[in-house]
Each structure stands twice: as C-alpha cells, then as structure tokens.
Amino acid sequence: MKKRGQITLFMILGLVVVFAILLLVYFSFKEDLKPQEFPKELREELQLNLQSCAKVALDESVKEVSKKIGDEKTDYVDFKNEHITKTVSLLPLFSESENNVVISNNPPDYPWTTFPYFQGQEVFMANSLFGWNILINFNDLEKILQKKFKESMQKCTSNLEKKEFIKAIPISELHLEKNLIKIQLKGTKLKSQTTEVTLPEILLTQETKLKEAYDFANTLINQEISNIKFTPESTLNYLVNIERDNFKNNIMQVKERSTELSINFVIPNRPPALQYINTSFFDTKNLLCPESKVDFNNNKLIISGGNPPPEPYIEGEQAQYWEDTSGKKWKKKHECIQKTIEIKAYDPDYQEDLTYYVTLSNPQHNLPLTITQDMYDNLPYYEITVNVDDGLKKDFQKIKLCFRGGMAC
C-alpha cells in the first residue's frame, strides 16, 4: 500500500511539473511587451512598408474616384477607352420666367424669347440656364474614396502579413483634413520568436489636394451653366485641358500642377442660344412693300427696296398727295422699310463653328426673296425662321415680316 501511494504521489507531482512548464511557456509566448520594447529595426520596417502601402492605395483610389465624380445615375461618355462621367445634365427639362421673360433649356421650347435681355439690358449670367450641376457632393465622394482606399490598402497589407514578424494588420480608417489624408491603423499585431506585441495605433499621413481640385472643378461647372460667355482657362495652380468627341461633348481635365492630381469629367454638348431679334421696328409707317427684297448674307438679314403702295387721296385730308396721268390723286400708304439686322448667337460650349441660315415659310421660295403684289395683297405678313446650328443642336426664332401694321402683325 505504501509503495502504491508513493507511485500515485510521483504521478501527481509529474503532472504538476508538466502543467507548470506548459503554463510558463504559455505566459512566455503571451508576454505583454511595450511597443518600444519590440525590435526597433522591425518596427521601422513595418512603418516604411505601411507608408508605401498607403501611398499606393491612395494614388489608386484618387485616380479611380476622380473619373467618377458625377452623379452615379448619370450617363458616361466613352472617350479614349475610358468611361468619364457627365457632370452637367439637361434633364429634367425646365423653364424659368422673370418679368414675363421665359427661358427654357431644350427645344421645342425654344426660342428663348428675349435672350439675353433682362429688364432691357444684356445679361449673360443667370442660374442654371445651360444645364444642372450634378457634380457629386464631396462628403459622398469622400465615402467612395474611403471604400476604394480600404480595398486597395487591404490588398497591400495582406502581402505584408506574409512577413514572419507581422501577425495581423487591421483594416485602416481614412480621414480628410484640408490637404492631408490621415490613415489610422489600430491593433496591429507583431511577433518575434516567442513574443507578441499589439501596437495601440499607427498614424500615417499623405498629402493630397483632392478637395482643392474638387472645389476648382465645381466652380468651373457652376460658371459653365450660368454664363454663356464663360470659357475655362488654366490658372497658376491648375491646368485645364478640353477635348471634344464626335458628339461635341466637352471632355474636361483639371490637373493640379504641383501634384499631377487630375479630375476628369464631361460637360455635354448644349444647344446654342440665338440673341433675340426684336421686330418692333415694323409699325404702321414702316412695312414691307411690293418689290421689297429679303436676303440673308454674312449673318445679316437684309430688307431693302420696294415701291410704296399708293392710297387714294380723299378731298379735304390734311395729307400730301400726287396725281397720276389720269389726274387721280394718291397719297403714300406707308414707307418701305429698309433694315439690316445682324444675327448674333452664343454657344455655352464655346464653339466657333456655328452655322446661321434662314428658312422661308413657303418651301418653294428662295433667297433673295422679292415680295410680289399678290403676296402684298393677300398676306398680313411673311414668316421666316432664323436658325443657328452647331452641327448637332440648334436654336431658332420665327419672325413676321409685316405688310400691314397693328394686330395683323
């Protein structure tokens, strides 16, 4: 019995020793080191690797996001094998009115009935006359950037985790502050032989001028849709490059000079705008006559010639008169109008290849048009249409050339 008890005691002592050794090994492996106690050269290697990952991930993310800064519901333009977002929309159709001035952004609601006159003065700026700014909100852009950055950063850090001294790198957090992007990594775990250490936080910073470039592009777009005479130009800090595709869409590239950061977007082709032609010069004393000529040459509408139509003179009238060979007295009914009208148009897409032309109400007539006696006797006016065309879209105004004044015209 005594011998059997000794064996049991030795077995218990053996188990205690084994358990103590295992416990010692376990706590040795799980020893909580301070980050600064971990080998300096490994910490420095980690910092360099993470900084490199952050730079690559940020460059890739900004490059991808900068091509998709329009509303995701909008169209893309295929240009040089890339999908580039439109940041101006002509939808929904709209019209604006101010003091009986009605302006619309799409035919057949043209013409813009008094463009560019507001309250009797030429005004070339008004809110959203040439489309809507659908540039994505910067807060939403930042969320997309964060998502893209995390995806790119995760790919890079996954490769770093293959290194012997790195156990785990958590997904990073991204914050934009002025011209800096701050990257936070919390809980990175390192190992060296039998020891582990958890770093409380790693803070990386990368310079970027994404916000400044975004603000510059946003200002450019707002000027594009409000001022028909605006032409984008490069500045001290930004290079603006414009190319045009086969559909006359404007492919814009805004490049920050010092960092080469670029934002690409599309401003779609918009109709030109014809300057309103005021025909109030037709009155009861200045009208078309038989033999009046209407012509269009060098962007000028020319009305000339004509024989004043006679009107019988009534005895006792206070009016000058003349007598024909039969002795019948006549007075002038009205003067034959002599007028040259210069046609002007403006294109929000700063094109210089606008085409001007006139179409007549009777398709069998041609310019120059001579007003016949029959036309004069049977029509209250002769209608023509003045057109301006950029090759794909146009504006127009129908004009009444009057034979008789008042309500007839």
Side-chain angles (χ1 to χ4, degrees), residues 153-386:
M153 191 72 178
Q154 190 64 45
K155 290 179 183 177
C156 189
T157 55
S158 294
N159 291 327
L160 291 182
E161 288 174 357
K162 296 176 183 178
K163 292 180 178 290
E164 292 183 0
F165 73 95
I166 298 176
K167 185 174 183 180
I169 301 176
I171 297 176
S172 54
E173 295 181 8
L174 194 70
H175 304 282
L176 272 71
E177 297 180 12
K178 271 193 171 182
N179 294 333
L180 284 179
I181 290 184
K182 293 185 178 180
I183 303 109
Q184 288 179 305
L185 295 93
K186 296 180 180 180
T188 299
K189 293 185 178 181
L190 307 180
K191 58 185 177 181
S192 177
Q193 297 178 348
T194 59
T195 62
E196 282 187 13
V197 62
T198 300
L199 304 181
E201 179 182 84
I202 298 176
L203 182 63
L204 307 172
T205 60
Q206 289 288 327
E207 181 182 357
T208 179
K209 294 191 176 180
L210 179 63
K211 181 63 167 66
E212 286 186 8
Y214 170 92
D215 289 340
F216 180 84
N218 189 46
T219 300
L220 184 152
I221 294 167
N222 285 333
Q223 289 177 300
E224 274 280 354
I225 63 175
S226 63
N227 183 1
I228 200 166
K229 285 192 168 183
F230 173 72
T231 300
E233 294 181 350
S234 299
T235 66
L236 185 64
N237 296 322
Y238 293 96
L239 179 66
V240 178
N241 182 55
I242 306 169
E243 295 185 73
R244 187 168 289 140
D245 66 9
N246 294 332
F247 299 99
K248 297 184 179 289
N249 298 308
N250 292 288
I251 318 301
M252 314 285 290
Q253 182 187 59
V254 172
K255 181 179 288 187
E256 207 283 325
R257 292 182 187 270
S258 63
T259 64
E260 292 295 303
L261 166 68
S262 67
I263 292 180
N264 304 324
F265 54 93
V266 175
I267 296 180
N269 181 40
R270 295 158 291 179
L274 188 67
Q275 180 162 318
Y276 179 70
I277 303 166
N278 190 337
T279 57
S280 60
F281 46 78
F282 284 106
D283 54 31
T284 56
K285 295 181 180 180
N286 297 278
L287 299 163
L288 288 180
C289 299
E291 302 301 318
S292 288
K293 290 186 178 181
V294 180
D295 201 2
F296 187 73
N297 188 24
N298 294 327
N299 298 350
K300 291 182 174 64
L301 181 64
I302 305 165
I303 305 171
S304 61
N307 295 320
E311 182 177 357
Y313 173 76
I314 300 174
E315 290 295 337
E317 278 189 298
Q318 297 295 317
Q320 294 182 347
Y321 62 88
W322 56 279
E323 293 185 19
D324 62 18
T325 55
S326 67
K328 190 171 182 179
K329 296 178 180 179
W330 302 88
K331 64 180 181 180
K332 287 183 179 179
K333 190 172 183 180
H334 57 70
E335 296 288 339
C336 301
I337 194 164
Q338 310 293 306
K339 193 74 176 177
T340 297
I341 307 167
E342 184 177 2
I343 307 302
K344 295 181 180 179
Y346 310 90
D347 194 327
D349 303 315
Y350 30 87
Q351 298 184 54
E352 297 178 357
D353 54 349
L354 297 178
T355 301
Y356 301 82
Y357 59 95
V358 169
T359 52
L360 307 178
S361 55
N362 188 330
Q364 296 180 346
H365 291 167
N366 297 303
L367 291 174
L369 175 70
T370 299
I371 303 300
T372 65
Q373 186 67 48
D374 181 66
M375 293 163 64
Y376 180 83
D377 290 338
N378 294 288
L379 297 174
Y381 56 82
Y382 191 92
E383 188 172 78
I384 67 171
T385 303
V386 177

Side-chain angles (χ1 to χ4, degrees), residues 30-47:
K30 287 295 182 179
E31 183 181 354
D32 188 16
L33 292 179
K34 296 180 181 180
Q36 59 268 27
E37 295 175 356
F38 198 82
K40 181 180 179 182
E41 64 276 8
L42 295 181
R43 283 186 285 121
E44 289 177 348
E45 182 181 344
L46 173 69
Q47 185 77 19

Side-chain angles (χ1 to χ4, degrees), residues 101-154:
V101 173
V102 178
I103 296 178
S104 170
N105 74 334
N106 198 61
D109 293 326
Y110 274 51
W112 298 354
T113 52
T114 61
F115 181 83
Y117 297 101
F118 290 86
Q119 300 181 355
Q121 297 183 8
E122 285 194 17
V123 177
F124 291 91
M125 295 191 68
N127 291 334
S128 299
L129 289 185
F130 310 104
W132 304 106
N133 182 351
I134 55 173
L135 182 69
I136 190 171
N137 181 280
F138 190 78
N139 290 335
D140 295 331
L141 182 67
E142 186 177 352
K143 292 176 183 177
I144 296 173
L145 179 66
Q146 287 176 337
K147 179 181 177 182
K148 299 293 182 185
F149 178 84
K150 285 182 179 181
E151 291 173 358
S152 297
M153 191 72 178
Q154 190 64 45

